[in-house]
Amino acid sequence: MFEVLPRDAHNATLLAHAHPSDWQNPRTAGTYNLVAVGGGTAGIISALGAAGLGGRAALVEKHLLGGDCLNYGCVPSKALIRAARAFYDAQQLDEFGTRAAPPTIDFAAVMERMRRLRAGISHHDSAQRFAGLGVDVHLGAARFTGPDRLEVGGQTLRFTRAVVATGARAAVPAIPGLVATGYLTNETVFSLVELPRRLIVVGAGPIGCELAQAFRRFGSEVSLVQRAPTILHREDPAAAQVVLDQLRREGIQVYLGAETLEARRSGDDRLLKIRAGAETHELVADAILVGAGRQANVEDLGLEAAGVQFDARGVQIDDFLRTTNPRIYAAGDVAGSYQFTHAADAMARACLRNALFFGRARLSALVVPRCTYTDPEVAHVGLTPREAAERNLAIDSYRADLASVDRAILDGDTRGFAVVHTRRGRGQVVGATIVARHAGEMIGEVSLLMTKSLSLAALSETIHCYPTQVEVLKRIADSYQRTRLTPRVAGLFRRWLAWQR
């Protein structure tokens, strides 16, 4: 029987939906059109899509339906981030001419709210709902026993097509003494009911930065340890610098280029010894949170028996999301570098087209934005300048700062900028980065341009509400339009207008 801590009514509701204790797996006979292994976003979309199109589909999950997103990722983390932002904003009221008593944080209430909201959302991913939509839900560990079959709960499920969507888990760095010392990951941090007074966060990628800032805003003393010389190393360096400056402004101690040497316990304290540059530090905390990357869930699936090749990075797929077994596809975190819920959704839809309808949807054709939900947020789509240079692609870059946007000034949200990259001498958008409080809501306009192969000029011709922060993109598009006014074109305009006088 599965357990989600703490034991309360909200987590009981979550379990009743995501892994009901009285669930009886359906008896199977015949062959499924599609079996999805893994009950996260990619598996759910695959199974529901196949059933909704008239096929016979099964969904297999050994742990909790909803996957990381519902249980340990997007849903609980964004609930905490929103609470932390509300508390932070309440402390900035003087800036807006507002007076109130100093706010206090009730961490237990914050976590109870998160569990309540997560439980309320969980019905969307419930076993009962999927069964009602025509999917055979099998709760238990799946293991492939051949190229067209797998076992779960003592039954053999035969299929014409399958999708491996088993996701990924937190990668634990090989720090001497870490296991004995004890640590948190994204799978355990949301079970906390008391706020750690001191917290060490190992890893300054999206998860590490988001949770470091949230816990600092709740009142923890936070140390952020990063092996790389910068945080958010995948992002535009200028974007990462804006976030780094904000984290330090809020009082987070950030150690960059740091080597973790040893972890140990001393009474109730957890100690982490690091070397940053020429200096050695011994950090002391009540808890250590590991956010140092992800590891694909490929163990104990019997992939060898199915003829599916895999390695430490996950299941190997081609551009059509096929594994080395043409009957079996893979989607989501287990199958690529796009480790986002929305990417898993898009990959699953591509799998459906290719697996069931001889489609030719390509992984490389997907335009996948990403967002780190720090404050300010960092959203990106397409290529960075570094990636463009690696591909020998010449680009033009157009940038505008939020400090020049009226709504951002009025909101007090002037930290950040937007930059859009186009093919040199053309308006074709190849990438963009936005750093703003609501960057994740804003990046969609650029994603649409790229998906539909529209020019940046189309954004200039689109009317935007005034005042809004997304106007920063309109300014960028106008900057591009001005580059089209070459001296020759300007001369022609002047002569034309002179003739009209």
Side-chain angles (χ1 to χ4, degrees):
M1 181 175 177
F2 287 98
E3 183 176 59
V4 180
L5 298 175
R7 299 186 185 93
D8 67 0
H10 304 312
N11 281 341
T13 299
L14 175 70
L15 281 172
H17 289 148
H19 198 116
S21 59
D22 58 350
W23 186 257
Q24 297 293 319
N25 288 343
R27 304 305 300 176
T28 64
T31 301
Y32 287 102
N33 294 101
L34 185 141
V35 174
V37 182
T41 299
I44 289 170
I45 295 297
S46 298
L48 286 180
L53 293 168
R56 188 171 181 228
L59 177 64
V60 183
E61 172 57 49
K62 70 176 182 178
H63 193 201
L64 298 175
L65 291 167
D68 255 28
C69 182
L70 171 66
N71 299 290
Y72 311 121
C74 312
V75 170
S77 68
K78 302 313 168 283
L80 260 62
I81 288 169
R82 181 64 185 91
R85 181 177 291 183
F87 185 55
Y88 178 79
D89 286 347
Q91 296 171 301
Q92 317 302 315
L93 290 178
D94 285 352
E95 178 185 341
F96 299 93
T98 304
R99 302 289 183 267
T104 58
I105 195 73
D106 184 342
F107 185 72
V110 167
M111 299 303 283
E112 188 274 337
R113 172 183 180 272
M114 177 275 292
R115 295 192 300 274
R116 172 171 51 83
L117 296 179
R118 180 176 61 180
I121 291 171
S122 67
H123 73 91
H124 296 295
D125 295 336
S126 70
Q128 293 89 345
R129 174 174 177 265
F130 297 150
L133 293 171
V135 175
D136 282 358
V137 178
H138 294 263
L139 298 181
R143 186 174 183 83
F144 288 95
T145 55
D148 61 352
R149 69 184 71 89
L150 59 83
E151 287 186 357
V152 58
Q155 296 190 78
T156 295
L157 278 57
R158 295 183 178 275
F159 55 81
T160 57
R161 296 290 185 268
V163 175
V164 178
T166 49
R169 63 187 184 277
V172 181
I175 301 172
L178 180 62
V179 174
T181 301
Y183 58 90
L184 300 168
T185 69
N186 68 296
E187 293 188 11
T188 53
V189 69
F190 300 114
S191 295
L192 292 176
V193 292
E194 294 182 4
L195 179 70
R197 185 171 64 86
R198 301 159 300 175
L199 178 68
I200 298 170
V201 180
V202 178
I207 294 174
C209 287
E210 289 176 5
L211 292 181
Q213 185 178 48
F215 275 88
R216 176 59 190 152
R217 289 181 167 187
F218 290 142
S220 297
E221 298 174 12
V222 178
S223 298
L224 181 60
V225 179
Q226 169 75 334
R227 183 166 189 168
T230 183
I231 67 170
L232 302 176
H233 70 277
R234 293 184 62 189
E235 305 300 344
D236 183 318
Q241 188 63 48
V242 173
V243 176
L244 176 60
D245 291 343
Q246 181 63 26
L247 296 182
R248 284 175 166 160
R249 189 178 298 118
E250 294 185 23
I252 296 175
Q253 296 295 316
V254 183
Y255 298 89
L256 299 176
E259 180 185 2
T260 50
L261 303 176
E262 177 191 15
R264 62 186 179 88
R265 294 193 68 156
S266 177
D268 292 333
D269 292 337
R270 288 169 170 82
L271 290 77
L272 188 70
K273 187 176 182 180
I274 67 170
R275 181 186 297 117
E279 297 184 358
T280 299
H281 307 269
E282 189 164 71
L283 310 179
V284 183
D286 302 290
I288 297 173
L289 171 63
V290 173
R294 308 283 289 163
Q295 178 178 342
N297 294 323
V298 292
E299 301 86 1
D300 301 321
L301 291 174
L303 294 175
E304 301 90 343
V308 174
Q309 293 185 9
F310 63 96
D311 55 27
R313 294 170 296 180
V315 174
Q316 296 180 16
I317 57 173
D318 65 13
D319 202 29
F320 300 102
L321 294 97
R322 294 175 303 200
T323 70
T324 48
N325 177 342
R327 292 175 176 267
I328 301 176
Y329 291 69
D333 290 6
V334 77
S337 59
Y338 296 129
Q339 295 194 334
F340 317 110
T341 296
H342 50 280
D345 183 307
M347 293 171 73
R349 293 171 192 270
C351 281
L352 283 173
R353 291 195 293 273
N354 296 349
L356 301 181
F357 298 101
F358 306 103
R360 303 293 289 174
R362 291 180 177 271
L363 180 63
S364 59
L366 297 179
V367 176
V368 182
R370 63 176 181 259
C371 185
T372 297
Y373 296 91
T374 47
D375 185 13
E377 297 174 354
V378 178
H380 178 82
V381 65
L383 302 177
T384 64
R386 180 180 60 218
E387 291 167 338
E390 291 171 352
R391 299 186 185 191
N392 295 316
L393 177 65
I395 62 172
D396 294 316
S397 297
Y398 302 91
R399 172 175 166 146
D401 293 326
L402 283 180
S404 66
V405 176
D406 293 352
R407 180 58 185 270
I409 295 170
L410 298 171
D411 288 343
D413 291 336
T414 55
R415 303 160 296 165
F417 63 90
V419 59
V420 178
H421 312 294
T422 64
R423 288 184 180 270
R424 176 69 53 82
R426 299 162 59 184
Q428 182 184 359
V429 179
V430 298
T433 293
I434 303 174
V435 184
R437 174 162 263 206
H438 302 290
E441 309 288 347
M442 299 161 68
I443 197 68
E445 287 202 8
V446 185
S447 299
L448 179 62
L449 292 179
M450 295 180 64
T451 300
K452 296 301 182 182
S453 299
L454 298 175
S455 168
L456 190 54
L459 193 57
S460 179
E461 297 161 4
T462 301
I463 300 173
H464 291 74
C465 289
Y466 174 87
T468 53
Q469 292 193 25
V470 77
E471 190 184 355
V472 71
L473 295 176
K474 179 72 176 290
R475 292 187 176 220
I476 285 175
D478 289 344
S479 295
Y480 163 71
Q481 290 287 67
R482 286 192 291 272
T483 67
R484 302 173 71 185
L485 189 65
T486 64
R488 179 176 178 274
V489 173
L492 290 173
F493 283 172
R494 282 194 299 269
R495 288 192 292 273
W496 170 257
L497 294 172
W499 178 78
Q500 287 187 318
R501 287 198 292 271

